[in-house]
Amino acid sequence: MISRLLVANRAEIASRVFRTCRALGIETVAIHSDADAALPYVREADHAVRLPGNAPADTYLRVDLVLDAARRSDADAIHPGYGFLSENAEFARAVIDAGLTWVGPAQESIEAMGSKIRAKEIMKAAGVPVLEAPPEPTEDDLPLLVKASAGGGGRGMRVVRTLADLPGEIEKARAEAASAFGDGTVFVEPYVERGRHVEVQIVNTSVYGERDCSLQRRHQKVVEEAPAPLLPEEVRTDLHDAARKAAEAIGYRGAGTVEFLYDPASERFWFLEMNTRLQVEHPVTELVHGVDLVELQIEAAEGRVVSRRAPSGPSSTTVDGHAIEVRLYAEDPAADYQPQSGTLTTFEIPQEEGIRVDAGFESGSEVSTHYDAMLAKVIAHAPTREAAARKLAGVLSRAKIHGLVTNRDLLVAVLRDERFLRGDVSTDFLVDPPETFGRVNDDAAAAAAIALAEQAKAARTVQRGIPVAWRNVVSQPQRTVFEEATVDWLGGRDGYVVDGHTVVEVRGPLGPSLETTVTLETDGVRTTYAITVNGAGVDVDSPRGHVRLTRVPRFVDPAEAVASGSLLAPMPGTVVSVVVEAGQQVEAGQPVLVLEAMKMQHTVSAPYAGVVTEIDVKPGAQVAAGEVLAVVEEQE
């Protein structure tokens, strides 16, 4: 019996495992890097051990440090979570050799499925359909997918649509895979356009239904749900049978997931990979099947019979309602999903019936550049798919998330999109984002302008009784300029009028957040906006959702100006390579250098044709967001 369990992971998944351990009466141990020392999961654990440093290779990927932490904390079991060492057979073997209980499958199963190339060979022999890679690709075989043999999460994956691009994309995929997983092996397979990603949850060789994980960006899942919508029953049954064959082929023990690519047009599916660990999206399965998959993992590790065994026949498709999960990321979808880092000044998600929040961060947490950008998973469970989508969209729209740009607005738009609601999902869904995504709410900007005016009034040291913007003779309106919108407004003894709205009430600043509320009335309809100011940033929350505005200063310090044509770092990161030289002629869109941040590589390209006049960084250099990397002088 396990008495004290160490989670060899961080943030959200560590908190998730601790929750089950508390329910079972098992003590917990957290490990943390320096960057993670203040995250909630460290406080939630009964014991915590510091791993000096920040980079994964210096902390969470160090087998020796993890085992030493288990020894020092007197832990008798290790749960790997997902990512990092979770599918590392050598780590599993080292844990067992150290006399500890490994909460995961046998190392032989991890080894068998650890290489996607070898896994496909085993599945083919077991009668599970697989995608056959062309030995010598031609133009007729396009598009192709370059894929890392080890690891997952979209890293080391590249879609190739032109044969001439294949060698370069293979090298990029190798570099990403080597950085993320320590193994640069890649392979090529056909890329199925508009395919669906459907995966089956197994525990030992029993099936716990399937999940649809088709909504992805950069081949990384964003929205997951169970059961999979619009899946013919015969296909569902065949998927479950194929997953069971896969588990039996390697004598699988514990929780795992068999992933398939499904083509709705032909109703065919193919094996993609088997994840020998707990999946990020496991909550949707837990909610519709009424199980705790972490508890089942622990039972299997202790050698006990799994207490809530799934039926082995067609009745395994029986589920309770529908569950949808979204991954809330610190990233900017409007800027090609660039990861964001910094302080999460406010992070409040409504806790309501039917809503589950698995979070790794809280208000005040620092989001670093060293790890994945996921902040939390928000899951809704309801009797129907439509009800779950509506409930989840409503909770997300009312959440207060300030300090960093996130994908929250995109998630709300997806959940309310007609294509999604009718089940028309595929892996290329986000190639054309929902039409409602990215619209600026002008009313929010109007409310923000009035809040700033009131806050300026509250900061006065003289003439406090004079109305804001009062003039004997009004010649023109006041103007507040944001990067996203410009607001003209009038003030005086009779209150404010702004862009056709009457300001009914202004209250604040309220509480420790210095939040101001502004109520606008238009055509007899009143709407209240909550405005929080943090430096140049202004966050506006209302029933219409959230808007992040940035004030434009009236005067700019010349010392802060940068030269025209400067290429700025879009985020903090490490320079991987510089592919041009000073004095070199470049074309618009030509790569200049490559940055690595949050385990992904990002290419910085020339904005137009011209000459590279400066290169200010070298490979290996650490750069801050906004730092000048190079200068390209535009060609006349």
Side-chain angles (χ1 to χ4, degrees):
M1 296 287 287
I2 295 170
S3 59
R4 182 175 295 177
L5 181 144
L6 180 148
V7 176
N9 219 293
R10 62 182 292 276
E12 169 269 326
I13 184 56
S15 292
R16 164 67 190 93
V17 176
F18 293 161
R19 186 164 66 245
T20 291
C21 287
R22 284 194 296 272
L24 297 177
I26 298 173
E27 288 188 48
T28 55
V29 181
I31 57 174
H32 66 87
S33 67
D34 292 335
D36 286 342
L39 290 189
Y41 82 98
V42 179
R43 297 193 308 273
E44 292 169 2
D46 297 307
H47 312 277
V49 180
R50 172 181 175 247
L51 305 182
N54 288 318
D58 299 330
T59 53
Y60 301 106
L61 291 175
R62 286 279 300 273
V63 174
D64 58 334
L65 294 184
V66 174
L67 292 179
D68 182 61
R71 178 190 61 79
R72 287 192 283 151
S73 63
D74 204 24
D76 58 0
I78 290 182
H79 189 299
Y82 46 70
F84 294 133
L85 295 168
S86 62
E87 293 178 285
N88 186 311
E90 292 301 318
F91 178 53
R93 185 172 291 110
V95 169
I96 295 169
D97 290 345
L100 305 174
T101 299
W102 167 250
V103 185
Q107 56 265 41
E108 292 80 9
S109 297
I110 300 174
E111 287 174 338
M113 296 293 102
S115 164
K116 293 183 178 65
I117 298 172
R118 174 65 180 143
K120 291 174 77 168
E121 294 172 351
I122 295 173
M123 292 303 108
K124 185 177 180 181
V128 179
V130 300
L131 282 169
E132 299 285 355
E136 294 291 337
T138 67
E139 293 288 346
D140 294 335
D141 297 315
L142 297 174
L144 297 170
L145 181 65
V146 182
K147 198 171 184 180
S149 181
R155 287 148 187 116
M157 294 179 69
R158 300 273 172 166
V159 177
V160 180
R161 301 187 182 278
T162 305
L163 207 56
D165 294 339
L166 183 59
E169 294 302 312
I170 288 176
E171 287 307 311
K172 291 177 183 177
R174 281 176 176 162
E176 279 191 356
S179 174
F181 317 120
D183 183 349
T185 305
V186 299
F187 63 96
V188 178
E189 67 182 17
Y191 179 66
V192 179
E193 300 276 14
R194 293 194 60 76
R196 285 176 58 183
H197 186 126
V198 182
E199 60 188 34
V200 179
Q201 176 70 55
I202 58 169
V203 179
N204 299 337
T205 56
S206 296
V207 170
Y208 283 77
E210 81 291 332
R211 301 181 285 256
D212 189 294
C213 308
S214 298
L215 266 73
Q216 304 176 4
R217 54 94 174 103
R218 291 206 196 100
H219 312 290
Q220 192 167 23
K221 301 163 189 172
V222 178
V223 181
E224 301 108 344
E225 56 183 310
L230 302 181
L231 194 66
E233 282 306 312
E234 58 272 22
V235 174
R236 194 187 312 272
T237 300
D238 290 345
L239 278 167
H240 293 185
D241 288 342
R244 196 173 292 110
K245 286 181 183 178
E248 291 170 349
I250 58 173
Y252 196 78
R253 184 199 71 203
T257 297
V258 187
E259 302 192 351
F260 298 94
L261 184 64
Y262 169 58
D263 179 18
S266 64
E267 295 191 355
R268 297 177 62 196
F269 61 84
W270 301 271
F271 171 83
L272 282 178
E273 61 184 339
M274 182 173 179
N275 295 129
T276 53
R277 54 171 169 80
L278 195 67
Q279 290 281 87
V280 178
E281 57 273 18
H282 74 273
V284 294
T285 295
E286 293 184 323
L287 290 171
V288 298
H289 284 277
V291 296
D292 183 330
L293 290 174
V294 175
E295 181 179 358
L296 299 190
Q297 284 186 298
I298 292 173
E299 288 184 4
E302 291 179 330
R304 294 185 284 139
V305 176
V306 173
S307 61
R308 302 197 65 174
R309 180 173 296 279
S312 57
S315 59
S316 63
T317 60
T318 303
V319 296
D320 175 20
H322 200 95
I324 303 176
E325 170 184 296
V326 294
R327 301 190 192 186
L328 191 59
Y329 285 102
E331 65 183 15
D332 187 356
D336 194 27
Y337 300 97
Q338 285 181 0
Q340 307 290 301
S341 61
T343 303
L344 197 60
T345 54
T346 305
F347 192 61
E348 300 172 359
I349 300 175
Q351 301 284 338
E352 300 179 0
E353 184 179 356
I355 293 295
R356 169 174 162 178
V357 180
D358 288 8
F361 297 83
E362 62 187 357
S363 296
S365 292
E366 191 74 18
V367 180
S368 75
T369 61
H370 303 288
Y371 317 110
D372 187 85
M374 189 175 76
L375 302 174
K377 303 178 307 194
V378 187
I379 312 102
H381 182 214
T384 66
R385 183 173 184 268
E386 294 76 12
R390 182 166 57 187
K391 180 189 294 286
L392 188 51
V395 163
L396 286 171
S397 67
R398 294 193 300 276
K400 288 188 176 182
I401 307 171
H402 302 164
L404 294 177
V405 177
T406 72
N407 66 334
R408 185 262 301 272
D409 292 343
L410 175 63
L411 296 174
V412 172
V414 166
L415 293 168
R416 292 172 173 169
D417 186 88
E418 287 298 325
R419 294 175 298 161
F420 176 81
L421 292 174
R422 64 174 178 260
D424 183 12
V425 295
S426 67
T427 53
D428 65 352
F429 183 95
L430 290 178
V431 172
D432 297 312
E435 293 181 359
T436 55
F437 172 65
R439 292 179 182 171
V440 176
N441 184 346
D442 292 334
D443 293 350
I450 300 307
L452 291 174
E454 280 292 303
Q455 290 188 0
K457 175 185 176 181
R460 288 178 182 172
T461 57
V462 296
Q463 297 184 329
R464 291 178 178 271
I466 303 297
V468 175
W470 179 82
R471 296 290 187 275
N472 282 328
V473 179
V474 178
S475 60
Q476 60 186 11
Q478 301 292 313
R479 174 165 289 180
T480 302
V481 181
F482 303 100
E483 289 184 2
E484 300 79 7
T486 298
V487 181
D488 291 330
W489 53 276
L490 296 170
R493 288 180 298 180
D494 298 327
Y496 299 98
V497 175
V498 51
D499 283 349
H501 304 285
T502 300
V503 179
V504 177
E505 182 183 45
V506 180
R507 298 183 62 204
L510 304 174
S513 66
L514 298 180
E515 180 180 278
T516 302
T517 62
V518 176
T519 301
L520 302 181
E521 180 178 292
T522 306
D523 195 24
V525 178
R526 296 184 178 187
T527 305
T528 299
Y529 299 81
I531 297 93
T532 306
V533 180
N534 184 18
V538 183
D539 291 282
V540 185
D541 296 286
S542 75
R544 299 180 179 180
H546 170 266
V547 174
R548 170 75 172 179
L549 302 167
T550 304
R551 287 189 288 179
V552 176
R554 294 182 64 187
F555 306 103
V556 178
D557 185 349
E560 297 178 356
V562 297
S564 175
S566 295
L567 304 186
L568 308 180
M571 70 202 78
T574 303
V575 178
V576 176
S577 62
V578 179
V579 295
V580 298
E581 299 177 348
Q584 182 176 332
Q585 190 86 20
V586 293
E587 299 299 325
Q590 181 176 334
V592 174
L593 51 84
V594 178
L595 282 179
E596 182 173 274
M598 294 180 170
K599 300 192 288 185
M600 297 291 290
Q601 291 194 353
H602 309 269
T603 300
V604 178
S605 304
Y608 36 66
V611 176
V612 179
T613 57
E614 290 182 29
I615 296 289
D616 298 314
V617 293
K618 296 180 179 179
Q622 298 287 327
V623 297
E627 184 173 334
V628 177
L629 306 173
V631 178
V632 176
E633 187 174 301
E634 187 173 11
Q635 195 171 31
E636 292 293 336

